[in-house]
Amino acid sequence: MQQQSHGWEVITGWLADKELKPFRFQEDAWKAYQQGHSGIVNAPTGFGKTFSLFLGALIAWIDAHPKDYQRKQKNGLQLLWVTPLRALAKDLGRAMEEVILELGISWQVGIRSGDTPLAARAAQKKQMPEVLIITPESLHLLLAQKEYPQVFKHLQAVVVDEWHELIGSKRGVMVELALSRLRGLLTQEGRPPLKTWGISATIGNLDEALEVLLGPYHSNGIIIRTNLKKNIQLQSVIPHEMENYPWAGHLGTKMLPQALPIIEDSQTTLIFTNTRSQSEIWYQSLLREEPMLAGALALHHGSIDMELRIWVEEALHNGILKAVVCTASLDLGVDFRPVNSVIQVGSPKGVARLLQRAGRSGHQPGAVSKIFFLPTHALELVEAAALKTAMEEEVIESRMPVLLAYDVLLQYLMTLAVSDGFHAPQIFEEVRQTYCYQHLTEEEWKWILSFLTTGGDALAVYDEFKKLERQGDYYYCKSRMLAMRHRLHIGTIVSDAMLKVKFMSGGYIGVIEEGFISRLQPGDSFTLAGRNLEFVLIKDMTVLVRKSNAKRTIVPSYQGGRIPLSANLGRMLRRKFNEALSRKTKDPELLALQPLFRLQEELSHIPKDDELLIEKIDTKDGYHLFVYPFEGRLVHQVMAALLAYRLSRIQPITFSIAMNDYGFELLSDQPVPLTTENAKTLFSADNLLTELQTSVNATETARRKFRDIAVIAGLIFQGYPGKHKANRHLQSSSSLLFNVFSDYDPQNLLLKQAFNEAFFYEMEEVRLRETLERIARSSIVITHPQKLTPFCFPIKVDSLRDTMTSEKLEDRIRKLIAVNS
DNA sequence: GACCTGCTGCGGTGTG
């Protein structure tokens, strides 16, 4: 047995006094920290991952200062605690302060983020606390300060909280870059290596998450997991009248009466919905159905004013609310102890998201997390059965790290340039130590430096794009105006322009999209934050409203992201259909769906997981072709376009396209030339990339992606805070840049990135290829139902339509030939 | 005949 250290004794003694018995994995984490390792701690929520690492830091501190660890003195910044949410910082800070106070350790905790008061930030400038809780953005703001290395002179460790949340995004890249600089600083100054720890929920690629955190060349990284399992129960709420349950739809308000008993039986319930408008509708409908809930029911989503949201969070904490209807805005965060049940309305689209939400209830070790699943249409019950099995088998999604994000790199270099300037060879080395930029070539690096100094081939004539000056290997930003503008723009979250909504009498309610309000006339009523509001006028980019007594109001919809069904869930879903008609199935969801399955089998077929079902149906609308890969709407959208293109090469034919997460439809006014003989060829993965480029309008998708890239890279100034430029301006200037680069600087890396992102994120190219390969191994079943089937109905209902005509295609092909010859 | 779509997250005009 290894001799325990002094710090170890102090901490275990303190815990024993409080009658707290640490988990084995917590002790493992302390030990690993103390021994100078870096790594990731992985355990279910509510098991004290955070606590264990913080205690590890304290043990290390006591060990280093055994005699005077309690002496009041200023020690400088020792520990950086990175969190993705400002809201987490406050709670965490409070908890840490408590421990420090009780142990009498000479440490102070500070918070650094946009919502810390100016005075606190000014004080930090003079004297940093020993522990600083910070967001990735604020960390980069620290790097943008003059003489920033001073700040980190005593830094020993960085802990990244909720690393699974950051890893798949450009915010994660910001963390990678900041870590590379901090490691570089410590090495330059000959100090012991930086300890880096991540705290993560379970994801499919935890090993990769470790590599991203520590860089691909790390050697001392370890993953500390617990074998303790969280007990999670998923219970589907089966519609009382299955026969009348809709085949399509997404709101699920039909199930509302069956949600009420759950709410009544629990102390506090969180009701998760998929969209903001859906949460508004549920809130209103619940109050209508059960007026007794007035005052005990609240609403929480991303477009509701921060102050109102904070009020709801506090009220939840204090246990005065019976239920809260919310979106993903309450996925993470504050430890809502009083929550004892969770209702998920509609598909969560992925296993990880379901686990995350279930974990909001029973948030202590040993407690059971219970989540009720409320289907919004019949087939969603199959998803519920699939989710249950996926949870049992722990099939959890991976979060793919972002690679070669040139925009974030440009921003980072500008950050370093406006502080002390940077030594290019040194920074190049550091940057290449990160996972994101490990394959950055010297050529690309040169392009990036020259882009920052000259504006590149296309923008060389405009002075405002000559941002940096070069002296030997050093690069600086001398312009104070550019430096100030840059500090205002640090970060990778690019939001759409939203208008604030405010009562005439004062008081903010939330935000709303420009496009929505432009369709309203003064006097019209709409709903926001659960209130009925009458639109009065727009003044200074603010929508002024008064209370409305109107019976009918419009619920605004927002142009949000569209999360596709995850690959894991899709796979599980296909598997579930194997059991659909089997007498052996025990899943209550599948049993309830028997009548629907029988109808589907009678009219058409239920595909097994090694089959691809295609339905050909003729109606007065035309000739329909329905295909069911169950791979999420993004893959379906591209597959539909690809198939339409390939069919149109057999004979000129025009299609309209519709899709959902289960499948897609091609509709034409002439018979579709797809047969048992040519089906496999039509779904082949051969020539995928070339045919994708002709069938899908990749340029348009890339153009949309380019907008965010241009903002992050600092090419578009979004205006000063408070005086937001209208979205139109943003859109047009980014579109202009896109054109200019396409015409005069086709080698532009940002342009290349836009296309990469379009293929990777908007078309899920990798998943598409895998799907086509799977289809090649499957048998294709073509049926000819006499009328619409339960499977195709939801797609038919989907209003989103793309049209593509072979005429247009011919034009494109002609152009292509002209360019080539 | 069956249908009201589309999440979250951060930063903040300044050094004598």
Side-chain angles (χ1 to χ4, degrees), chain A residues 618-638:
Chain A
D618 306 342
T619 69
K620 61 178 184 330
D621 292 341
Y623 300 86
H624 307 258
L625 184 84
F626 292 99
V627 185
Y628 305 97
F630 296 96
E631 284 289 356
R633 55 176 308 123
L634 293 177
V635 165
H636 294 162
Q637 184 160 14
V638 183

mmCIF file with all atom_site columns, all heavy atoms in Angstrom, chain A residues 618-638:
data_model
loop_
_atom_site.group_PDB
_atom_site.id
_atom_site.type_symbol
_atom_site.label_atom_id
_atom_site.label_alt_id
_atom_site.label_comp_id
_atom_site.label_asym_id
_atom_site.label_entity_id
_atom_site.label_seq_id
_atom_site.pdbx_PDB_ins_code
_atom_site.Cartn_x
_atom_site.Cartn_y
_atom_site.Cartn_z
_atom_site.occupancy
_atom_site.B_iso_or_equiv
_atom_site.pdbx_formal_charge
_atom_site.auth_seq_id
_atom_site.auth_comp_id
_atom_site.auth_asym_id
_atom_site.auth_atom_id
_atom_site.pdbx_PDB_model_num
ATOM 1   N N   . ASP A 1 618 ? -49.830 5.090  -56.511 1.00 0.00 ? 618 ASP A N   1
ATOM 2   C CA  . ASP A 1 618 ? -50.381 6.043  -57.475 1.00 0.00 ? 618 ASP A CA  1
ATOM 3   C C   . ASP A 1 618 ? -51.623 6.684  -56.882 1.00 0.00 ? 618 ASP A C   1
ATOM 4   O O   . ASP A 1 618 ? -52.518 5.991  -56.412 1.00 0.00 ? 618 ASP A O   1
ATOM 5   C CB  . ASP A 1 618 ? -50.771 5.323  -58.775 1.00 0.00 ? 618 ASP A CB  1
ATOM 6   C CG  . ASP A 1 618 ? -49.609 4.521  -59.336 1.00 0.00 ? 618 ASP A CG  1
ATOM 7   O OD1 . ASP A 1 618 ? -48.459 4.797  -58.935 1.00 0.00 ? 618 ASP A OD1 1
ATOM 8   O OD2 . ASP A 1 618 ? -49.859 3.609  -60.147 1.00 0.00 ? 618 ASP A OD2 1
ATOM 9   N N   . THR A 1 619 ? -51.664 7.998  -56.886 1.00 0.00 ? 619 THR A N   1
ATOM 10  C CA  . THR A 1 619 ? -52.866 8.707  -56.429 1.00 0.00 ? 619 THR A CA  1
ATOM 11  C C   . THR A 1 619 ? -53.198 9.765  -57.456 1.00 0.00 ? 619 THR A C   1
ATOM 12  O O   . THR A 1 619 ? -52.486 9.915  -58.453 1.00 0.00 ? 619 THR A O   1
ATOM 13  C CB  . THR A 1 619 ? -52.655 9.409  -55.074 1.00 0.00 ? 619 THR A CB  1
ATOM 14  O OG1 . THR A 1 619 ? -51.751 10.489 -55.261 1.00 0.00 ? 619 THR A OG1 1
ATOM 15  C CG2 . THR A 1 619 ? -52.097 8.460  -54.026 1.00 0.00 ? 619 THR A CG2 1
ATOM 16  N N   . LYS A 1 620 ? -54.251 10.536 -57.186 1.00 0.00 ? 620 LYS A N   1
ATOM 17  C CA  . LYS A 1 620 ? -54.595 11.576 -58.157 1.00 0.00 ? 620 LYS A CA  1
ATOM 18  C C   . LYS A 1 620 ? -53.547 12.692 -58.160 1.00 0.00 ? 620 LYS A C   1
ATOM 19  O O   . LYS A 1 620 ? -53.456 13.475 -59.094 1.00 0.00 ? 620 LYS A O   1
ATOM 20  C CB  . LYS A 1 620 ? -55.999 12.121 -57.900 1.00 0.00 ? 620 LYS A CB  1
ATOM 21  C CG  . LYS A 1 620 ? -56.203 12.768 -56.541 1.00 0.00 ? 620 LYS A CG  1
ATOM 22  C CD  . LYS A 1 620 ? -57.634 13.307 -56.472 1.00 0.00 ? 620 LYS A CD  1
ATOM 23  C CE  . LYS A 1 620 ? -58.012 14.058 -55.239 1.00 0.00 ? 620 LYS A CE  1
ATOM 24  N NZ  . LYS A 1 620 ? -57.454 13.810 -53.961 1.00 0.00 ? 620 LYS A NZ  1
ATOM 25  N N   . ASP A 1 621 ? -52.726 12.747 -57.109 1.00 0.00 ? 621 ASP A N   1
ATOM 26  C CA  . ASP A 1 621 ? -51.635 13.730 -57.075 1.00 0.00 ? 621 ASP A CA  1
ATOM 27  C C   . ASP A 1 621 ? -50.508 13.345 -58.032 1.00 0.00 ? 621 ASP A C   1
ATOM 28  O O   . ASP A 1 621 ? -49.710 14.182 -58.436 1.00 0.00 ? 621 ASP A O   1
ATOM 29  C CB  . ASP A 1 621 ? -51.023 13.823 -55.673 1.00 0.00 ? 621 ASP A CB  1
ATOM 30  C CG  . ASP A 1 621 ? -51.985 14.430 -54.678 1.00 0.00 ? 621 ASP A CG  1
ATOM 31  O OD1 . ASP A 1 621 ? -52.941 15.098 -55.116 1.00 0.00 ? 621 ASP A OD1 1
ATOM 32  O OD2 . ASP A 1 621 ? -51.793 14.218 -53.469 1.00 0.00 ? 621 ASP A OD2 1
ATOM 33  N N   . GLY A 1 622 ? -50.421 12.063 -58.326 1.00 0.00 ? 622 GLY A N   1
ATOM 34  C CA  . GLY A 1 622 ? -49.337 11.632 -59.197 1.00 0.00 ? 622 GLY A CA  1
ATOM 35  C C   . GLY A 1 622 ? -48.776 10.291 -58.761 1.00 0.00 ? 622 GLY A C   1
ATOM 36  O O   . GLY A 1 622 ? -49.424 9.523  -58.052 1.00 0.00 ? 622 GLY A O   1
ATOM 37  N N   . TYR A 1 623 ? -47.549 10.039 -59.172 1.00 0.00 ? 623 TYR A N   1
ATOM 38  C CA  . TYR A 1 623 ? -46.881 8.772  -58.870 1.00 0.00 ? 623 TYR A CA  1
ATOM 39  C C   . TYR A 1 623 ? -45.903 8.972  -57.713 1.00 0.00 ? 623 TYR A C   1
ATOM 40  O O   . TYR A 1 623 ? -44.954 9.742  -57.838 1.00 0.00 ? 623 TYR A O   1
ATOM 41  C CB  . TYR A 1 623 ? -46.162 8.256  -60.125 1.00 0.00 ? 623 TYR A CB  1
ATOM 42  C CG  . TYR A 1 623 ? -47.104 8.024  -61.273 1.00 0.00 ? 623 TYR A CG  1
ATOM 43  C CD1 . TYR A 1 623 ? -47.443 9.068  -62.135 1.00 0.00 ? 623 TYR A CD1 1
ATOM 44  C CD2 . TYR A 1 623 ? -47.684 6.771  -61.470 1.00 0.00 ? 623 TYR A CD2 1
ATOM 45  C CE1 . TYR A 1 623 ? -48.331 8.870  -63.186 1.00 0.00 ? 623 TYR A CE1 1
ATOM 46  C CE2 . TYR A 1 623 ? -48.578 6.564  -62.520 1.00 0.00 ? 623 TYR A CE2 1
ATOM 47  C CZ  . TYR A 1 623 ? -48.894 7.620  -63.372 1.00 0.00 ? 623 TYR A CZ  1
ATOM 48  O OH  . TYR A 1 623 ? -49.775 7.415  -64.395 1.00 0.00 ? 623 TYR A OH  1
ATOM 49  N N   . HIS A 1 624 ? -46.178 8.270  -56.604 1.00 0.00 ? 624 HIS A N   1
ATOM 50  C CA  . HIS A 1 624 ? -45.342 8.450  -55.419 1.00 0.00 ? 624 HIS A CA  1
ATOM 51  C C   . HIS A 1 624 ? -44.362 7.302  -55.285 1.00 0.00 ? 624 HIS A C   1
ATOM 52  O O   . HIS A 1 624 ? -44.696 6.153  -55.558 1.00 0.00 ? 624 HIS A O   1
ATOM 53  C CB  . HIS A 1 624 ? -46.185 8.448  -54.142 1.00 0.00 ? 624 HIS A CB  1
ATOM 54  C CG  . HIS A 1 624 ? -47.313 9.416  -54.163 1.00 0.00 ? 624 HIS A CG  1
ATOM 55  N ND1 . HIS A 1 624 ? -47.254 10.621 -53.507 1.00 0.00 ? 624 HIS A ND1 1
ATOM 56  C CD2 . HIS A 1 624 ? -48.531 9.363  -54.748 1.00 0.00 ? 624 HIS A CD2 1
ATOM 57  C CE1 . HIS A 1 624 ? -48.399 11.258 -53.686 1.00 0.00 ? 624 HIS A CE1 1
ATOM 58  N NE2 . HIS A 1 624 ? -49.201 10.516 -54.430 1.00 0.00 ? 624 HIS A NE2 1
ATOM 59  N N   . LEU A 1 625 ? -43.174 7.661  -54.825 1.00 0.00 ? 625 LEU A N   1
ATOM 60  C CA  . LEU A 1 625 ? -42.194 6.645  -54.479 1.00 0.00 ? 625 LEU A CA  1
ATOM 61  C C   . LEU A 1 625 ? -41.738 6.952  -53.050 1.00 0.00 ? 625 LEU A C   1
ATOM 62  O O   . LEU A 1 625 ? -41.214 8.031  -52.784 1.00 0.00 ? 625 LEU A O   1
ATOM 63  C CB  . LEU A 1 625 ? -41.006 6.743  -55.442 1.00 0.00 ? 625 LEU A CB  1
ATOM 64  C CG  . LEU A 1 625 ? -39.950 5.666  -55.255 1.00 0.00 ? 625 LEU A CG  1
ATOM 65  C CD1 . LEU A 1 625 ? -40.347 4.414  -55.993 1.00 0.00 ? 625 LEU A CD1 1
ATOM 66  C CD2 . LEU A 1 625 ? -38.610 6.169  -55.777 1.00 0.00 ? 625 LEU A CD2 1
ATOM 67  N N   . PHE A 1 626 ? -41.983 6.003  -52.147 1.00 0.00 ? 626 PHE A N   1
ATOM 68  C CA  . PHE A 1 626 ? -41.554 6.206  -50.761 1.00 0.00 ? 626 PHE A CA  1
ATOM 69  C C   . PHE A 1 626 ? -40.419 5.238  -50.430 1.00 0.00 ? 626 PHE A C   1
ATOM 70  O O   . PHE A 1 626 ? -40.506 4.053  -50.747 1.00 0.00 ? 626 PHE A O   1
ATOM 71  C CB  . PHE A 1 626 ? -42.714 5.955  -49.791 1.00 0.00 ? 626 PHE A CB  1
ATOM 72  C CG  . PHE A 1 626 ? -43.805 6.986  -49.886 1.00 0.00 ? 626 PHE A CG  1
ATOM 73  C CD1 . PHE A 1 626 ? -44.954 6.726  -50.618 1.00 0.00 ? 626 PHE A CD1 1
ATOM 74  C CD2 . PHE A 1 626 ? -43.673 8.215  -49.241 1.00 0.00 ? 626 PHE A CD2 1
ATOM 75  C CE1 . PHE A 1 626 ? -45.962 7.672  -50.702 1.00 0.00 ? 626 PHE A CE1 1
ATOM 76  C CE2 . PHE A 1 626 ? -44.681 9.168  -49.330 1.00 0.00 ? 626 PHE A CE2 1
ATOM 77  C CZ  . PHE A 1 626 ? -45.835 8.892  -50.070 1.00 0.00 ? 626 PHE A CZ  1
ATOM 78  N N   . VAL A 1 627 ? -39.365 5.762  -49.791 1.00 0.00 ? 627 VAL A N   1
ATOM 79  C CA  . VAL A 1 627 ? -38.213 4.933  -49.430 1.00 0.00 ? 627 VAL A CA  1
ATOM 80  C C   . VAL A 1 627 ? -37.950 5.110  -47.937 1.00 0.00 ? 627 VAL A C   1
ATOM 81  O O   . VAL A 1 627 ? -38.015 6.235  -47.433 1.00 0.00 ? 627 VAL A O   1
ATOM 82  C CB  . VAL A 1 627 ? -36.957 5.361  -50.234 1.00 0.00 ? 627 VAL A CB  1
ATOM 83  C CG1 . VAL A 1 627 ? -35.798 4.424  -49.963 1.00 0.00 ? 627 VAL A CG1 1
ATOM 84  C CG2 . VAL A 1 627 ? -37.270 5.406  -51.719 1.00 0.00 ? 627 VAL A CG2 1
ATOM 85  N N   . TYR A 1 628 ? -37.649 4.018  -47.239 1.00 0.00 ? 628 TYR A N   1
ATOM 86  C CA  . TYR A 1 628 ? -37.509 4.101  -45.773 1.00 0.00 ? 628 TYR A CA  1
ATOM 87  C C   . TYR A 1 628 ? -36.157 3.610  -45.255 1.00 0.00 ? 628 TYR A C   1
ATOM 88  O O   . TYR A 1 628 ? -36.031 2.492  -44.791 1.00 0.00 ? 628 TYR A O   1
ATOM 89  C CB  . TYR A 1 628 ? -38.622 3.280  -45.100 1.00 0.00 ? 628 TYR A CB  1
ATOM 90  C CG  . TYR A 1 628 ? -39.991 3.686  -45.536 1.00 0.00 ? 628 TYR A CG  1
ATOM 91  C CD1 . TYR A 1 628 ? -40.657 2.979  -46.542 1.00 0.00 ? 628 TYR A CD1 1
ATOM 92  C CD2 . TYR A 1 628 ? -40.617 4.784  -44.968 1.00 0.00 ? 628 TYR A CD2 1
ATOM 93  C CE1 . TYR A 1 628 ? -41.913 3.357  -46.963 1.00 0.00 ? 628 TYR A CE1 1
ATOM 94  C CE2 . TYR A 1 628 ? -41.874 5.174  -45.382 1.00 0.00 ? 628 TYR A CE2 1
ATOM 95  C CZ  . TYR A 1 628 ? -42.512 4.457  -46.382 1.00 0.00 ? 628 TYR A CZ  1
ATOM 96  O OH  . TYR A 1 628 ? -43.743 4.843  -46.796 1.00 0.00 ? 628 TYR A OH  1
ATOM 97  N N   . PRO A 1 629 ? -35.145 4.459  -45.272 1.00 0.00 ? 629 PRO A N   1
ATOM 98  C CA  . PRO A 1 629 ? -33.853 4.046  -44.715 1.00 0.00 ? 629 PRO A CA  1
ATOM 99  C C   . PRO A 1 629 ? -33.760 4.258  -43.192 1.00 0.00 ? 629 PRO A C   1
ATOM 100 O O   . PRO A 1 629 ? -32.862 3.726  -42.567 1.00 0.00 ? 629 PRO A O   1
ATOM 101 C CB  . PRO A 1 629 ? -32.844 4.954  -45.433 1.00 0.00 ? 629 PRO A CB  1
ATOM 102 C CG  . PRO A 1 629 ? -33.612 5.613  -46.545 1.00 0.00 ? 629 PRO A CG  1
ATOM 103 C CD  . PRO A 1 629 ? -35.018 5.692  -46.062 1.00 0.00 ? 629 PRO A CD  1
ATOM 104 N N   . PHE A 1 630 ? -34.630 5.037  -42.593 1.00 0.00 ? 630 PHE A N   1
ATOM 105 C CA  . PHE A 1 630 ? -34.573 5.378  -41.161 1.00 0.00 ? 630 PHE A CA  1
ATOM 106 C C   . PHE A 1 630 ? -33.213 5.930  -40.767 1.00 0.00 ? 630 PHE A C   1
ATOM 107 O O   . PHE A 1 630 ? -32.596 5.457  -39.822 1.00 0.00 ? 630 PHE A O   1
ATOM 108 C CB  . PHE A 1 630 ? -34.928 4.147  -40.294 1.00 0.00 ? 630 PHE A CB  1
ATOM 109 C CG  . PHE A 1 630 ? -36.332 3.676  -40.491 1.00 0.00 ? 630 PHE A CG  1
ATOM 110 C CD1 . PHE A 1 630 ? -36.623 2.645  -41.381 1.00 0.00 ? 630 PHE A CD1 1
ATOM 111 C CD2 . PHE A 1 630 ? -37.382 4.271  -39.802 1.00 0.00 ? 630 PHE A CD2 1
ATOM 112 C CE1 . PHE A 1 630 ? -37.933 2.225  -41.587 1.00 0.00 ? 630 PHE A CE1 1
ATOM 113 C CE2 . PHE A 1 630 ? -38.690 3.857  -39.999 1.00 0.00 ? 630 PHE A CE2 1
ATOM 114 C CZ  . PHE A 1 630 ? -38.972 2.831  -40.888 1.00 0.00 ? 630 PHE A CZ  1
ATOM 115 N N   . GLU A 1 631 ? -32.747 6.924  -41.488 1.00 0.00 ? 631 GLU A N   1
ATOM 116 C CA  . GLU A 1 631 ? -31.411 7.461  -41.221 1.00 0.00 ? 631 GLU A CA  1
ATOM 117 C C   . GLU A 1 631 ? -31.420 8.958  -40.900 1.00 0.00 ? 631 GLU A C   1
ATOM 118 O O   . GLU A 1 631 ? -30.386 9.616  -40.952 1.00 0.00 ? 631 GLU A O   1
ATOM 119 C CB  . GLU A 1 631 ? -30.484 7.214  -42.420 1.00 0.00 ? 631 GLU A CB  1
ATOM 120 C CG  . GLU A 1 631 ? -29.997 5.783  -42.544 1.00 0.00 ? 631 GLU A CG  1
ATOM 121 C CD  . GLU A 1 631 ? -28.979 5.377  -41.477 1.00 0.00 ? 631 GLU A CD  1
ATOM 122 O OE1 . GLU A 1 631 ? -28.572 6.229  -40.656 1.00 0.00 ? 631 GLU A OE1 1
ATOM 123 O OE2 . GLU A 1 631 ? -28.605 4.193  -41.457 1.00 0.00 ? 631 GLU A OE2 1
ATOM 124 N N   . GLY A 1 632 ? -32.562 9.517  -40.599 1.00 0.00 ? 632 GLY A N   1
ATOM 125 C CA  . GLY A 1 632 ? -32.596 10.935 -40.250 1.00 0.00 ? 632 GLY A CA  1
ATOM 126 C C   . GLY A 1 632 ? -32.803 11.814 -41.459 1.00 0.00 ? 632 GLY A C   1
ATOM 127 O O   . GLY A 1 632 ? -32.408 11.472 -42.580 1.00 0.00 ? 632 GLY A O   1
ATOM 128 N N   . ARG A 1 633 ? -33.407 12.955 -41.240 1.00 0.00 ? 633 ARG A N   1
ATOM 129 C CA  . ARG A 1 633 ? -33.860 13.759 -42.361 1.00 0.00 ? 633 ARG A CA  1
ATOM 130 C C   . ARG A 1 633 ? -32.747 14.307 -43.250 1.00 0.00 ? 633 ARG A C   1
ATOM 131 O O   . ARG A 1 633 ? -32.940 14.489 -44.446 1.00 0.00 ? 633 ARG A O   1
ATOM 132 C CB  . ARG A 1 633 ? -34.757 14.903 -41.880 1.00 0.00 ? 633 ARG A CB  1
ATOM 133 C CG  . ARG A 1 633 ? -34.150 15.789 -40.827 1.00 0.00 ? 633 ARG A CG  1
ATOM 134 C CD  . ARG A 1 633 ? -35.096 16.919 -40.508 1.00 0.00 ? 633 ARG A CD  1
ATOM 135 N NE  . ARG A 1 633 ? -35.517 17.595 -41.706 1.00 0.00 ? 633 ARG A NE  1
ATOM 136 C CZ  . ARG A 1 633 ? -36.775 17.743 -42.088 1.00 0.00 ? 633 ARG A CZ  1
ATOM 137 N NH1 . ARG A 1 633 ? -37.734 17.273 -41.356 1.00 0.00 ? 633 ARG A NH1 1
ATOM 138 N NH2 . ARG A 1 633 ? -37.069 18.386 -43.193 1.00 0.00 ? 633 ARG A NH2 1
ATOM 139 N N   . LEU A 1 634 ? -31.567 14.560 -42.689 1.00 0.00 ? 634 LEU A N   1
ATOM 140 C CA  . LEU A 1 634 ? -30.501 15.126 -43.515 1.00 0.00 ? 634 LEU A CA  1
ATOM 141 C C   . LEU A 1 634 ? -30.045 14.134 -44.570 1.00 0.00 ? 634 LEU A C   1
ATOM 142 O O   . LEU A 1 634 ? -29.925 14.470 -45.754 1.00 0.00 ? 634 LEU A O   1
ATOM 143 C CB  . LEU A 1 634 ? -29.317 15.560 -42.636 1.00 0.00 ? 634 LEU A CB  1
ATOM 144 C CG  . LEU A 1 634 ? -29.583 16.720 -41.690 1.00 0.00 ? 634 LEU A CG  1
ATOM 145 C CD1 . LEU A 1 634 ? -28.371 17.011 -40.829 1.00 0.00 ? 634 LEU A CD1 1
ATOM 146 C CD2 . LEU A 1 634 ? -29.995 17.963 -42.460 1.00 0.00 ? 634 LEU A CD2 1
ATOM 147 N N   . VAL A 1 635 ? -29.796 12.902 -44.142 1.00 0.00 ? 635 VAL A N   1
ATOM 148 C CA  . VAL A 1 635 ? -29.387 11.860 -45.083 1.00 0.00 ? 635 VAL A CA  1
ATOM 149 C C   . VAL A 1 635 ? -30.486 11.643 -46.123 1.00 0.00 ? 635 VAL A C   1
ATOM 150 O O   . VAL A 1 635 ? -30.213 11.520 -47.317 1.00 0.00 ? 635 VAL A O   1
ATOM 151 C CB  . VAL A 1 635 ? -29.072 10.547 -44.337 1.00 0.00 ? 635 VAL A CB  1
ATOM 152 C CG1 . VAL A 1 635 ? -28.997 9.375  -45.291 1.00 0.00 ? 635 VAL A CG1 1
ATOM 153 C CG2 . VAL A 1 635 ? -27.766 10.680 -43.570 1.00 0.00 ? 635 VAL A CG2 1
ATOM 154 N N   . HIS A 1 636 ? -31.729 11.649 -45.674 1.00 0.00 ? 636 HIS A N   1
ATOM 155 C CA  . HIS A 1 636 ? -32.834 11.428 -46.601 1.00 0.00 ? 636 HIS A CA  1
ATOM 156 C C   . HIS A 1 636 ? -32.930 12.515 -47.653 1.00 0.00 ? 636 HIS A C   1
ATOM 157 O O   . HIS A 1 636 ? -33.223 12.259 -48.810 1.00 0.00 ? 636 HIS A O   1
ATOM 158 C CB  . HIS A 1 636 ? -34.160 11.333 -45.824 1.00 0.00 ? 636 HIS A CB  1
ATOM 159 C CG  . HIS A 1 636 ? -34.218 10.125 -44.944 1.00 0.00 ? 636 HIS A CG  1
ATOM 160 N ND1 . HIS A 1 636 ? -35.098 10.000 -43.906 1.00 0.00 ? 636 HIS A ND1 1
ATOM 161 C CD2 . HIS A 1 636 ? -33.461 9.000  -44.931 1.00 0.00 ? 636 HIS A CD2 1
ATOM 162 C CE1 . HIS A 1 636 ? -34.897 8.837  -43.309 1.00 0.00 ? 636 HIS A CE1 1
ATOM 163 N NE2 . HIS A 1 636 ? -33.916 8.220  -43.906 1.00 0.00 ? 636 HIS A NE2 1
ATOM 164 N N   . GLN A 1 637 ? -32.697 13.744 -47.214 1.00 0.00 ? 637 GLN A N   1
ATOM 165 C CA  . GLN A 1 637 ? -32.776 14.858 -48.147 1.00 0.00 ? 637 GLN A CA  1
ATOM 166 C C   . GLN A 1 637 ? -31.775 14.678 -49.295 1.00 0.00 ? 637 GLN A C   1
ATOM 167 O O   . GLN A 1 637 ? -32.104 14.837 -50.460 1.00 0.00 ? 637 GLN A O   1
ATOM 168 C CB  . GLN A 1 637 ? -32.487 16.162 -47.398 1.00 0.00 ? 637 GLN A CB  1
ATOM 169 C CG  . GLN A 1 637 ? -32.634 17.388 -48.259 1.00 0.00 ? 637 GLN A CG  1
ATOM 170 C CD  . GLN A 1 637 ? -32.827 18.640 -47.428 1.00 0.00 ? 637 GLN A CD  1
ATOM 171 O OE1 . GLN A 1 637 ? -32.604 18.632 -46.215 1.00 0.00 ? 637 GLN A OE1 1
ATOM 172 N NE2 . GLN A 1 637 ? -33.248 19.703 -48.057 1.00 0.00 ? 637 GLN A NE2 1
ATOM 173 N N   . VAL A 1 638 ? -30.548 14.320 -48.911 1.00 0.00 ? 638 VAL A N   1
ATOM 174 C CA  . VAL A 1 638 ? -29.518 14.157 -49.935 1.00 0.00 ? 638 VAL A CA  1
ATOM 175 C C   . VAL A 1 638 ? -29.785 12.910 -50.777 1.00 0.00 ? 638 VAL A C   1
ATOM 176 O O   . VAL A 1 638 ? -29.648 12.926 -52.000 1.00 0.00 ? 638 VAL A O   1
ATOM 177 C CB  . VAL A 1 638 ? -28.126 14.070 -49.274 1.00 0.00 ? 638 VAL A CB  1
ATOM 178 C CG1 . VAL A 1 638 ? -27.057 13.975 -50.328 1.00 0.00 ? 638 VAL A CG1 1
ATOM 179 C CG2 . VAL A 1 638 ? -27.891 15.277 -48.400 1.00 0.00 ? 638 VAL A CG2 1
#
